[in-house]
mmCIF file of all heavy atoms in Angstrom:
data_model
loop_
_atom_site.group_PDB
_atom_site.id
_atom_site.type_symbol
_atom_site.label_atom_id
_atom_site.label_comp_id
_atom_site.label_asym_id
_atom_site.label_seq_id
_atom_site.Cartn_x
_atom_site.Cartn_y
_atom_site.Cartn_z
ATOM 1 N N VAL I 41 85.376 87.944 12.655
ATOM 2 C CA VAL I 41 86.073 88.078 13.940
ATOM 3 C C VAL I 41 87.064 89.241 13.842
ATOM 4 O O VAL I 41 88.089 89.159 13.164
ATOM 5 C CB VAL I 41 86.778 86.770 14.333
ATOM 6 C CG1 VAL I 41 87.570 86.958 15.624
ATOM 7 C CG2 VAL I 41 85.752 85.652 14.508
ATOM 8 N N LYS I 43 88.560 91.066 16.381
ATOM 9 C CA LYS I 43 89.419 91.360 17.540
ATOM 10 C C LYS I 43 90.759 91.932 17.083
ATOM 11 O O LYS I 43 91.315 91.469 16.085
ATOM 12 C CB LYS I 43 89.646 90.088 18.362
ATOM 13 C CG LYS I 43 90.331 88.961 17.599
ATOM 14 C CD LYS I 43 90.319 87.662 18.394
ATOM 15 C CE LYS I 43 91.088 86.589 17.638
ATOM 16 N NZ LYS I 43 90.800 85.230 18.147
ATOM 17 N N GLU I 63 84.099 89.349 18.886
ATOM 18 C CA GLU I 63 85.193 89.943 19.667
ATOM 19 C C GLU I 63 85.489 89.017 20.846
ATOM 20 O O GLU I 63 84.606 88.290 21.305
ATOM 21 C CB GLU I 63 84.796 91.327 20.184
ATOM 22 C CG GLU I 63 84.677 92.388 19.095
ATOM 23 C CD GLU I 63 86.039 92.878 18.587
ATOM 24 O OE1 GLU I 63 87.039 92.719 19.322
ATOM 25 O OE2 GLU I 63 86.100 93.409 17.455
ATOM 26 N N ASN I 64 86.732 89.081 21.342
ATOM 27 C CA ASN I 64 87.050 88.204 22.468
ATOM 28 C C ASN I 64 87.397 88.967 23.754
ATOM 29 O O ASN I 64 87.721 88.342 24.754
ATOM 30 C CB ASN I 64 88.159 87.215 22.102
ATOM 31 C CG ASN I 64 89.489 87.892 21.904
ATOM 32 O OD1 ASN I 64 89.538 89.106 21.679
ATOM 33 N ND2 ASN I 64 90.561 87.139 21.975
ATOM 34 N N ILE I 85 83.027 85.893 21.802
ATOM 35 C CA ILE I 85 83.523 84.549 21.491
ATOM 36 C C ILE I 85 84.693 84.142 22.369
ATOM 37 O O ILE I 85 85.154 83.002 22.306
ATOM 38 C CB ILE I 85 83.929 84.432 19.993
ATOM 39 C CG1 ILE I 85 85.076 85.396 19.671
ATOM 40 C CG2 ILE I 85 82.728 84.675 19.084
ATOM 41 C CD1 ILE I 85 85.638 85.208 18.268
ATOM 42 N N GLY I 86 85.207 85.085 23.196
ATOM 43 C CA GLY I 86 86.376 84.766 24.011
ATOM 44 C C GLY I 86 86.010 84.402 25.432
ATOM 45 O O GLY I 86 84.856 84.560 25.854
ATOM 46 N N HIS I 87 86.989 83.939 26.171
ATOM 47 C CA HIS I 87 86.767 83.568 27.571
ATOM 48 C C HIS I 87 86.227 84.775 28.330
ATOM 49 O O HIS I 87 86.737 85.881 28.194
ATOM 50 C CB HIS I 87 88.083 83.099 28.191
ATOM 51 C CG HIS I 87 87.901 82.615 29.591
ATOM 52 N ND1 HIS I 87 87.084 81.549 29.906
ATOM 53 C CD2 HIS I 87 88.398 83.065 30.758
ATOM 54 C CE1 HIS I 87 87.104 81.356 31.207
ATOM 55 N NE2 HIS I 87 87.897 82.258 31.757
ATOM 56 N N GLU I 131 80.153 76.324 25.662
ATOM 57 C CA GLU I 131 81.418 75.991 25.003
ATOM 58 C C GLU I 131 81.878 74.593 25.412
ATOM 59 O O GLU I 131 81.870 74.239 26.594
ATOM 60 C CB GLU I 131 82.496 77.018 25.380
ATOM 61 C CG GLU I 131 83.829 76.741 24.689
ATOM 62 C CD GLU I 131 84.831 77.876 24.814
ATOM 63 O OE1 GLU I 131 84.491 78.932 25.390
ATOM 64 O OE2 GLU I 131 85.965 77.691 24.324
ATOM 65 N N MET I 167 79.219 75.564 21.151
ATOM 66 C CA MET I 167 80.348 76.187 20.461
ATOM 67 C C MET I 167 81.617 75.403 20.783
ATOM 68 O O MET I 167 81.753 74.879 21.883
ATOM 69 C CB MET I 167 80.477 77.626 20.954
ATOM 70 C CG MET I 167 81.666 78.400 20.413
ATOM 71 S SD MET I 167 83.159 78.246 21.415
ATOM 72 C CE MET I 167 83.858 79.872 21.192
ATOM 73 N N THR I 168 82.527 75.321 19.831
ATOM 74 C CA THR I 168 83.845 74.768 20.139
ATOM 75 C C THR I 168 84.937 75.517 19.383
ATOM 76 O O THR I 168 84.694 76.085 18.311
ATOM 77 C CB THR I 168 83.949 73.257 19.828
ATOM 78 O OG1 THR I 168 85.088 72.716 20.516
ATOM 79 C CG2 THR I 168 84.092 72.969 18.342
ATOM 80 N N VAL I 169 86.108 75.543 20.000
ATOM 81 C CA VAL I 169 87.321 76.017 19.336
ATOM 82 C C VAL I 169 88.165 74.767 19.085
ATOM 83 O O VAL I 169 88.661 74.148 20.009
ATOM 84 C CB VAL I 169 88.098 77.021 20.210
ATOM 85 C CG1 VAL I 169 89.347 77.506 19.485
ATOM 86 C CG2 VAL I 169 87.212 78.203 20.602
ATOM 87 N N TYR I 172 94.453 73.850 16.602
ATOM 88 C CA TYR I 172 95.129 74.409 15.438
ATOM 89 C C TYR I 172 95.817 73.272 14.689
ATOM 90 O O TYR I 172 96.643 72.573 15.248
ATOM 91 C CB TYR I 172 96.149 75.471 15.865
ATOM 92 C CG TYR I 172 96.826 76.066 14.677
ATOM 93 C CD1 TYR I 172 96.183 77.030 13.903
ATOM 94 C CD2 TYR I 172 98.089 75.633 14.289
ATOM 95 C CE1 TYR I 172 96.791 77.547 12.779
ATOM 96 C CE2 TYR I 172 98.706 76.154 13.164
ATOM 97 C CZ TYR I 172 98.043 77.106 12.415
ATOM 98 O OH TYR I 172 98.635 77.613 11.287
ATOM 99 N N GLY I 209 84.334 76.292 13.535
ATOM 100 C CA GLY I 209 85.068 76.571 12.307
ATOM 101 C C GLY I 209 85.646 77.969 12.320
ATOM 102 O O GLY I 209 84.940 78.939 12.631
ATOM 103 N N MET I 210 86.962 78.070 12.028
ATOM 104 C CA MET I 210 87.683 79.331 11.968
ATOM 105 C C MET I 210 88.359 79.407 10.593
ATOM 106 O O MET I 210 88.102 78.574 9.738
ATOM 107 C CB MET I 210 88.685 79.409 13.120
ATOM 108 C CG MET I 210 87.973 79.157 14.437
ATOM 109 S SD MET I 210 88.875 79.089 15.999
ATOM 110 C CE MET I 210 90.416 79.870 15.752
ATOM 111 N N SER I 211 89.230 80.394 10.401
ATOM 112 C CA SER I 211 89.791 80.589 9.052
ATOM 113 C C SER I 211 90.363 79.317 8.438
ATOM 114 O O SER I 211 90.192 79.076 7.248
ATOM 115 C CB SER I 211 90.879 81.665 9.088
ATOM 116 O OG SER I 211 90.315 82.908 9.396
ATOM 117 N N GLY I 212 91.041 78.505 9.259
ATOM 118 C CA GLY I 212 91.735 77.342 8.719
ATOM 119 C C GLY I 212 90.848 76.150 8.421
ATOM 120 O O GLY I 212 91.257 75.230 7.702
ATOM 121 N N TYR I 214 86.920 76.297 8.357
ATOM 122 C CA TYR I 214 85.468 76.520 8.380
ATOM 123 C C TYR I 214 84.703 75.746 7.314
ATOM 124 O O TYR I 214 83.546 75.397 7.503
ATOM 125 C CB TYR I 214 85.124 78.025 8.336
ATOM 126 C CG TYR I 214 85.518 78.738 7.068
ATOM 127 C CD1 TYR I 214 84.647 78.808 5.981
ATOM 128 C CD2 TYR I 214 86.760 79.363 6.965
ATOM 129 C CE1 TYR I 214 85.016 79.484 4.825
ATOM 130 C CE2 TYR I 214 87.127 80.033 5.815
ATOM 131 C CZ TYR I 214 86.262 80.088 4.749
ATOM 132 O OH TYR I 214 86.633 80.746 3.604
ATOM 133 N N VAL I 225 80.091 80.241 11.446
ATOM 134 C CA VAL I 225 81.541 80.098 11.370
ATOM 135 C C VAL I 225 82.148 81.428 11.805
ATOM 136 O O VAL I 225 81.567 82.495 11.572
ATOM 137 C CB VAL I 225 82.036 79.687 9.965
ATOM 138 C CG1 VAL I 225 81.572 78.273 9.640
ATOM 139 C CG2 VAL I 225 81.566 80.663 8.892
ATOM 140 N N ARG I 226 83.293 81.354 12.469
ATOM 141 C CA ARG I 226 83.940 82.551 13.018
ATOM 142 C C ARG I 226 85.261 82.770 12.287
ATOM 143 O O ARG I 226 86.242 82.076 12.538
ATOM 144 C CB ARG I 226 84.197 82.344 14.524
ATOM 145 C CG ARG I 226 82.972 81.846 15.319
ATOM 146 C CD ARG I 226 83.325 81.639 16.785
ATOM 147 N NE ARG I 226 84.468 80.760 16.953
ATOM 148 C CZ ARG I 226 84.383 79.452 17.182
ATOM 149 N NH1 ARG I 226 83.213 78.851 17.333
ATOM 150 N NH2 ARG I 226 85.479 78.725 17.296
ATOM 151 N N VAL I 227 85.267 83.713 11.369
ATOM 152 C CA VAL I 227 86.437 83.898 10.507
ATOM 153 C C VAL I 227 87.074 85.265 10.763
ATOM 154 O O VAL I 227 86.420 86.294 10.598
ATOM 155 C CB VAL I 227 86.047 83.748 9.017
ATOM 156 C CG1 VAL I 227 87.269 83.950 8.123
ATOM 157 C CG2 VAL I 227 85.422 82.378 8.767
ATOM 158 N N GLY I 228 88.329 85.253 11.184
ATOM 159 C CA GLY I 228 89.060 86.488 11.439
ATOM 160 C C GLY I 228 90.104 86.741 10.374
ATOM 161 O O GLY I 228 89.924 87.568 9.465
ATOM 162 N N THR I 229 91.204 86.008 10.448
ATOM 163 C CA THR I 229 92.322 86.170 9.523
ATOM 164 C C THR I 229 91.881 86.115 8.058
ATOM 165 O O THR I 229 92.374 86.895 7.232
ATOM 166 C CB THR I 229 93.356 85.047 9.780
ATOM 167 O OG1 THR I 229 93.568 84.951 11.192
ATOM 168 C CG2 THR I 229 94.656 85.331 9.092
ATOM 169 N N GLY I 230 90.975 85.235 7.748
ATOM 170 C CA GLY I 230 90.515 85.059 6.369
ATOM 171 C C GLY I 230 89.794 86.284 5.815
ATOM 172 O O GLY I 230 89.637 86.412 4.602
ATOM 173 N N ILE I 231 89.357 87.170 6.695
ATOM 174 C CA ILE I 231 88.674 88.398 6.252
ATOM 175 C C ILE I 231 89.577 89.625 6.422
ATOM 176 O O ILE I 231 89.745 90.428 5.517
ATOM 177 C CB ILE I 231 87.355 88.606 7.032
ATOM 178 C CG1 ILE I 231 86.365 87.492 6.707
ATOM 179 C CG2 ILE I 231 86.748 89.983 6.713
ATOM 180 C CD1 ILE I 231 85.115 87.493 7.573
ATOM 181 N N GLY I 233 92.901 89.639 7.533
ATOM 182 C CA GLY I 233 94.339 89.421 7.455
ATOM 183 C C GLY I 233 94.933 89.065 8.811
ATOM 184 O O GLY I 233 94.208 89.011 9.816
ATOM 185 N N ARG I 235 96.750 88.909 12.398
ATOM 186 C CA ARG I 235 96.757 89.800 13.563
ATOM 187 C C ARG I 235 98.200 89.958 14.019
ATOM 188 O O ARG I 235 98.904 88.975 14.198
ATOM 189 C CB ARG I 235 95.907 89.222 14.697
ATOM 190 C CG ARG I 235 94.419 89.319 14.453
ATOM 191 C CD ARG I 235 93.629 88.671 15.567
ATOM 192 N NE ARG I 235 93.873 87.237 15.636
ATOM 193 C CZ ARG I 235 93.190 86.331 14.943
ATOM 194 N NH1 ARG I 235 92.208 86.688 14.143
ATOM 195 N NH2 ARG I 235 93.469 85.045 15.053
HETATM 196 C C1 PLP V 306 90.319 84.580 17.045
HETATM 197 C C2 PLP V 306 89.191 83.632 17.079
HETATM 198 C C3 PLP V 306 88.586 83.172 15.887
HETATM 199 C C4 PLP V 306 89.065 83.576 14.500
HETATM 200 O O1 PLP V 306 90.306 83.000 14.242
HETATM 201 P P1 PLP V 306 90.950 83.067 12.754
HETATM 202 O O2 PLP V 306 91.860 81.902 12.718
HETATM 203 O O3 PLP V 306 91.665 84.372 12.670
HETATM 204 O O4 PLP V 306 89.834 82.966 11.798
HETATM 205 C C5 PLP V 306 87.505 82.324 15.996
HETATM 206 N N1 PLP V 306 87.038 81.922 17.198
HETATM 207 C C6 PLP V 306 87.586 82.322 18.354
HETATM 208 C C7 PLP V 306 87.028 81.838 19.632
HETATM 209 C C8 PLP V 306 88.684 83.189 18.334
HETATM 210 O O5 PLP V 306 89.233 83.571 19.493
#
Side-chain angles (χ1 to χ4, degrees):
V41 176
K43 61 189 184 196
E63 291 285 339
N64 68 340
I85 62 173
H87 184 61
E131 182 169 357
M167 176 270 214
T168 197
V169 181
Y172 181 78
M210 306 177 19
S211 294
Y214 65 89
V225 293
R226 310 179 306 265
V227 180
T229 314
I231 295 172
R235 286 177 296 272

